[in-house]
Amino acid sequence: MADVAIERSSAAPPQTARKRSSLRTALKRKSTAAFLMTLPLILLISLLVIYPAFYSLHLATLNKSMQRFVGFGNFQFLFKRETFWLVVEQSCIFAITAVVFKALIGFIVANFVHNIPAKGQRKWRGMLLVPWVIPPAMSTLAWLWLFDPSYSAFNYLLAGVGVDRIPWTGETGWARFSVILVNIWFGAPFFMIMYLASLKSVPDQLYEAAAIDGANWWQRTWYVTLPMMRNIIAITTLFSLIVTFANFDIVRILTSGGPLDHTHIFATWAFRIGIEGSDIPLGASVSLFMFPILAIAAIFILRDINKRGNEA
Amino acid sequence: MTSTVVIDKAAPTRKVKYGSMSRDRTWALRWSYFFLTLFAIFSLVPPLYMVITSLKTSAEISAATNPWFVFHPTLSNYIELLTSNQFLTFFRNSALVSIFVVTITMLISVPAAFALARMRFWGSTILATGVFLTYLIPETLLFLPLFKMFVVFGELTGIQLINKWYVLLIVYPTLTVPFCTWIMIGYFASIPKELDEAAIIDGASWFQTLTRIFIPVALPGLIAATIFAFTVSWAQFLYPLVFTTSTDQLVLPVGIITTLIKGDVFAWGQIMTGALLGAAPPLIIYAFLMDYYIAGLTAGATKG
């Protein structure tokens, strides 16, 4: 309604000046202006995101030299390779473990920060968010050095308490542990800050009411905090699942997939095959396996966002 | 329900309860500080270890002494890196790419967000959802088709994009624009409608409404989006690794890793110094603009 009224009032003066410049009138029209303002965005998304996404579907059906159509040949080849199943296994272990721990640590730390007086919170928040601010490629180098086989600073500390040296990135189990640990270190602050924001939005009256009813700490968390935070928890977790599943930097720098391809995840293996092995079609087929996870998560996130919109 | 009943019975012992509650609170506070200290140590160990190592000579690094302490601090790593041409080239490339990407991102996303937030037009809701979905598509899904696209583009037009730093100006906005548009839509939507209605009635064009009213009012959001675009383009690792190879075209993260690690030889002192200098710009910005950074993080929903 209001829009219509505005249209009229703004369209009235140009009526007389139309002859002078019809281009100007066209620019003043709402839909034209809106279209021009969004045009660069539309171009960017369609040329550099949507087109490549479909192009990668096409690439996945070509042979290595990209001259012959092989249909599902690449996928059949992948299913027969042992490494592929290792990658599937590791991607799932990596993403699920890392996200669960990030969410858990984020929740706990957010509660601790929320507990302390508001005056000191800024300082703690600042320190705890540092891992998230440093470019992961840079901080992973520091971890690589901390895990170094011969001069490992962690093993030095462990030796101090009489524990044997640990082959942090050299042995399958420990290498998997290491990449997950670094991912948790990097991603937990994000959960912390998101949860802290949503904790602050829980009305104090609810806690007061719960306290009067005599609810203990556990009951307050379970019956008040968690239900109030449900949406944020769901959205943050799904987001993080996508990003963790598609992670590249940490695994690439820390282990580059080793030992014996046991820590490869989809992105790093696709890079190994597609760029280093220059078999772009096979690499594209590998990275396409990230798509279903993405789609499922996206559906849930969109549903949640709509729900949130309706509640507001 | 059960809990309420139990507490009603315990109601007469109210005074005791009060005392125990405040004592509980003191203990909860102590535990909070204790665990926060532990988590802060966990968060800060890698950056601190970067600082420690960067102050050591390579002789001290390979000595069997306590790695957590600097016995003979030296700035030689810093001097060596800051006077080497390579490192300065990487730093310059990173800075150029980030500044251009931030500018391009803002020029595209601010008008688009304004149109999507205020001017309902055909397909605007679909486009807004599309922006959001684009933001969910990770770069690890797109690097191979984009690489092939640029190769084909080079063959067809003779314009080489691969192995030129400015190719990053084309690909980074796919990461920054959707996010910045998304959070700017949120900020713009929170501006009262009366404000721009009044401006339109006074005869302002849409463009004037954007520059005179929306941008000044949503300035905090704009700063948050700028910081984000900067940190994302500064930290990006996969795209420069794929699209650039010559030493003079590399950006900082890739440059440090490819030039300072030679085969199995790791110049740890220099690597840590380089990593620290590479981490410095986002950290400095964050130190001054933390509140904007956090506001931006929680405004949309950021990758994590």
Side-chain angles (χ1 to χ4, degrees), chain B residues 206-239:
Chain B
W206 285 105
F207 184 71
Q208 283 168 325
T209 320
L210 172 63
T211 51
R212 302 270 171 84
I213 294 177
F214 276 75
I215 291 181
V217 173
L219 199 61
L222 217 71
I223 297 174
T226 312
I227 298 174
F228 265 93
F230 177 81
T231 36
V232 167
S233 34
W234 190 270
Q236 180 51 231
F237 178 66
L238 174 63
Y239 280 152

Side-chain angles (χ1 to χ4, degrees), chain A residues 50-113:
Chain A
I50 297 175
Y51 177 72
F54 281 98
Y55 189 48
S56 94
L57 281 176
H58 169 69
L59 281 176
T61 61
L62 299 177
N63 71 341
K64 186 174 178 180
S65 54
M66 283 177 273
Q67 270 135 14
R68 203 161 46 80
F69 177 80
V70 292
F72 291 109
N74 284 322
F75 295 99
Q76 281 170 348
F77 175 72
L78 282 179
F79 290 147
K80 271 185 254 159
R81 276 184 74 168
E82 206 186 324
T83 317
F84 174 75
W85 296 109
L86 272 179
V87 171
V88 174
E89 185 196 342
Q90 170 63 6
S91 288
C92 294
I93 297 177
F94 177 76
I96 293 168
T97 323
V99 170
V100 167
F101 276 99
K102 281 190 272 193
L104 218 62
I105 292 177
F107 185 79
I108 295 170
V109 177
N111 272 294
F112 283 140
V113 176

Side-chain angles (χ1 to χ4, degrees), chain A residues 261-277:
Chain A
D261 296 330
H262 276 85
T263 55
H264 263 311
I265 52 179
F266 284 119
T268 54
W269 203 46
F271 180 85
R272 168 67 52 83
I273 293 174
I275 300 293
E276 291 178 329

Side-chain angles (χ1 to χ4, degrees), chain A residues 30 69-70 108-109 123 155 163 202 204-205 218-219 221-222 225 227 238 247 253 259 266 271 276 286 305:
Chain A
K30 200 169 121 183
F69 177 80
V70 292
I108 295 170
V109 177
K123 190 176 62 191
N155 282 349
V163 179
V202 179
D204 276 341
Q205 292 95 308
W218 175 248
Q219 287 164 328
T221 307
W222 190 255
T225 315
L238 283 168
N247 182 277
I253 295 171
F266 284 119
F271 180 85
E276 291 178 329
V286 171
I305 283 182

Side-chain angles (χ1 to χ4, degrees), chain B residues 102 111 150 275:
Chain B
V102 169
F150 291 148

Side-chain angles (χ1 to χ4, degrees), chain B residues 29 49 57 79 83 93 115 138 142 172 223-224 227 244 262 287 289 296 300:
Chain B
L29 208 61
Y49 200 60
T57 59
I79 295 166
T83 51
N93 287 346
L142 296 177
Y172 283 6
I223 297 174
I227 298 174
T244 52
K262 294 185 180 77
L289 303 171

